[in-house]
Amino acid sequence: MSDVALRPATPADSEFCFQLHKAAMGDYVAAIWGWDEQDQRDYHARGFDPGHWKIITADGADIGMLSVEYRATEVYLGRIEVHPEHQGRGIGTRLINALLDEAEQQGKDLVLDVLAVNHRAQALYRRLGLREVARHGDGDIKIRMRSARPPG
């Protein structure tokens, strides 16, 4: 198993994060909205937040990104993207399990939104114990999922 770590993102990571998003999410974005390179670059420029994003590394190489918001009543997984060359190796599972443990320790649920067309990610989240609680966005393109803490 790779040595996986997180490091703070810096402004210099902007292009890496854009190319990562294109590789990991481009097909899903294209299926819903169509991929327009300039629109996507503008969207990225507005959303890139190095102060709150982490870069996922495996064996010292940058392979993904993670954005988590710690809210009053929940831990919100804003984004997790792992480059397709590194998917299927348990990296996302390991990171999400760590967030689930952290949320549980804080007495909170882990909450996230996933695109309805991203069946692979939905299957991962379900396998890790998250459940669909709502659909939203134009045409219900997003699924809100929440961890179910055991009662107690």
Side-chain angles (χ1 to χ4, degrees):
M1 171 85 52
S2 300
D3 180 25
V4 176
L6 297 173
R7 68 167 178 80
T10 69
D13 292 312
S14 180
E15 184 63 18
F16 165 77
C17 288
F18 176 77
Q19 293 299 332
L20 168 68
H21 182 68
K22 186 175 181 178
M25 298 296 295
D27 289 346
Y28 303 116
V29 170
I32 297 170
W33 298 284
W35 184 272
D36 178 284
E37 188 81 8
Q38 191 56 55
D39 285 350
Q40 290 302 314
R41 282 199 174 274
D42 293 346
Y43 177 79
H44 172 74
R46 287 190 305 272
F48 179 63
D49 189 358
H52 291 96
W53 290 16
K54 303 285 187 201
I55 301 298
I56 304 165
T57 64
D59 299 325
D62 295 344
I63 59 129
M65 66 78 57
L66 179 73
S67 172
V68 180
E69 293 176 34
Y70 295 92
R71 299 175 175 173
T73 60
E74 64 192 21
V75 175
Y76 181 75
L77 175 55
R79 234 160 119 177
I80 182 169
E81 294 178 359
V82 174
H83 195 281
E85 292 176 3
H86 297 273
Q87 291 176 5
R89 299 181 185 177
I91 295 166
T93 296
R94 194 179 336 174
L95 292 168
I96 295 165
N97 274 330
L99 288 171
L100 285 163
D101 290 346
E102 191 175 358
E104 185 179 347
Q105 289 170 1
Q106 295 178 19
K108 300 175 182 179
D109 289 343
L110 179 66
V111 178
L112 58 84
D113 291 302
V114 60
L115 293 174
V117 297
N118 191 343
H119 302 289
R120 185 175 180 190
Q122 291 171 49
L124 169 64
Y125 301 143
R126 278 193 296 275
R127 184 169 53 80
L128 296 177
L130 284 86
R131 298 289 172 250
E132 179 178 335
V133 295
R135 290 185 180 233
H136 61 99
D138 294 338
D140 288 339
I141 58 170
K142 293 182 182 178
I143 298 171
R144 169 80 35 104
M145 299 184 82
R146 178 179 293 274
S147 63
R149 284 196 322 268

